[in-house]
Amino acid sequence: VIQKDLSLANCLISALPTQQRAVFLAHCEKVELKLHHMLHQAGALLNHAYFPMDSFVSVVFPVLDAPDVQVALIGNEGMVGASLVLGTNTSAFTCRIERGGRAFCIHRTALQQLLEVDPALRNILNRYLGVRQIHLAQQAACLNYHSVEQRLARWLLMARDRAQSNEVFLTHQVLAIMLGVRRESVTRIAGLFEYRGLISYSPGYVMLLDEPGLVRLACSCYQSDLLSYTRALGDLMPAAQAQRFFDSQAGGLDVLSNK
Ligand SMILES: [Zn+2]
């Protein structure tokens, strides 16, 4: 559910102090991201950064002699085009829209100029880059240690959190890239999840039916990701926003508090 105050619909933007937020938003355009469109290709010039509201984007790393690897899902907790913050105007990743919806879009020049004059913005986006680094390390651990079933449960929960809905639209191909398996394996594993009452599945559409069950099945990376994010940025979010953030991930945080 999108808040009435759209300026709070992206966690990073909502973490800005009110006055800086107004200045930042004055440089942004509200855009509609269309499902399955490419936001940018690996290696291409980044002209814009995007701050999703109700949309989300998959971040894929191309491997020269093997299939692409999915490394992240970015929704209202983050930004697309984060390398602009480092002053790098290209990205090593391909970003594709997996849920259509709205985003704030800012031109690279405007973003980089604001970063020079606004320490609050710099602080938030630097912290966010720190989180992204931890998430990449987490992803390396995940691919090494965790089963396909654990990883599917994790990605579905991540997609649910970013969609803010139990309905997620993920094609066979995207699920295959997420899991690093062939499409036939996606059919088999999704069938297994359906048999266990965890999801209802048809190609291109997943409905999450048993959230606690998925949280139990998911690998610890799901909780670790949430924890590293809230450790880095939780104190900057307005209380109401932080509460909403925690609520939407209640399953994961329950498990955390039991530790
Ligand atoms: Zn994992």
Side-chain angles (χ1 to χ4, degrees):
V1 181
I2 287 290
Q3 299 91 322
K4 282 193 183 118
D5 183 357
L6 281 182
S7 72
L8 297 177
N10 177 280
C11 296
L12 297 179
I13 295 178
S14 76
L16 279 167
T18 315
Q19 202 179 342
Q20 282 96 321
R21 186 160 69 231
V23 173
F24 182 82
L25 288 172
H27 288 85
C28 286
E29 201 185 330
K30 210 167 17 166
V31 295
E32 194 73 29
L33 303 184
K34 292 208 170 65
L35 183 66
H36 296 157
H37 276 216
M38 217 53 105
L39 267 191
H40 66 81
Q41 291 275 10
L45 187 68
L46 280 174
N47 284 318
H48 299 91
Y50 297 87
F51 295 78
M53 292 186 245
D54 49 357
S55 51
F56 71 77
V57 169
S58 67
V59 182
V60 168
F61 186 69
V63 182
L64 278 183
D65 57 355
D68 296 347
V69 175
Q70 173 148 328
V71 293
L73 277 184
I74 300 177
N76 72 336
E77 86 301 339
M79 74 179 282
V80 180
S83 57
L84 291 175
V85 179
L86 296 169
T88 307
N89 292 345
T90 56
S91 168
F93 305 105
T94 292
C95 290
R96 202 174 88 126
I97 299 155
E98 301 301 348
R99 182 182 177 87
R102 289 167 292 185
F104 291 109
C105 169
I106 185 167
H107 192 270
R108 103 178 104 86
T109 324
L111 176 66
Q112 288 171 343
Q113 279 168 359
L114 284 174
L115 283 166
E116 280 181 27
V117 297
D118 183 352
L121 179 67
R122 214 163 51 229
N123 176 35
I124 289 167
L125 298 187
N126 282 346
R127 288 197 202 188
Y128 175 66
L129 281 174
V131 173
R132 288 280 292 274
Q133 271 194 311
I134 298 170
H135 284 180
L136 285 176
Q138 193 75 53
Q139 181 59 8
C142 194
L143 287 169
N144 248 325
Y145 297 130
H146 299 143
S147 70
V148 175
E149 288 79 11
Q150 288 176 303
R151 287 189 281 126
L152 177 60
R154 174 196 176 203
W155 283 119
L156 290 177
L157 290 166
M158 287 172 67
R160 187 277 317 256
D161 293 344
R162 283 155 186 76
Q164 300 158 62
S165 160
N166 281 341
E167 285 183 304
V168 292
F169 300 88
L170 297 168
T171 62
H172 244 63
Q173 195 189 354
V174 170
L175 288 169
I177 292 174
M178 273 183 176
L179 300 173
V181 298
R182 287 178 311 181
R183 292 194 200 190
E184 305 82 80
S185 307
V186 172
T187 311
R188 184 181 58 78
I189 301 160
L192 198 69
F193 273 41
E194 193 161 48
Y195 175 75
R196 293 167 67 179
L198 296 167
I199 61 171
S200 143
Y201 176 78
S202 52
Y205 173 86
V206 184
M207 167 78 101
L208 278 65
L209 298 176
D210 178 5
E211 248 179 75
L214 285 166
V215 171
R216 277 194 301 275
L217 180 60
C219 55
S220 59
C221 300
Y222 175 64
Q223 296 141 35
S224 299
D225 275 358
L226 291 176
L227 197 59
S228 45
Y229 186 90
T230 44
R231 268 189 191 141
L233 287 149
D235 64 312
L236 292 176
M237 282 186 225
Q241 171 90 34
Q243 196 54 51
R244 266 193 294 272
F245 188 75
F246 295 145
D247 285 349
S248 74
Q249 283 118 0
L253 290 169
D254 274 355
V255 176
L256 279 182
S257 59
N258 290 340
K259 276 195 174 170

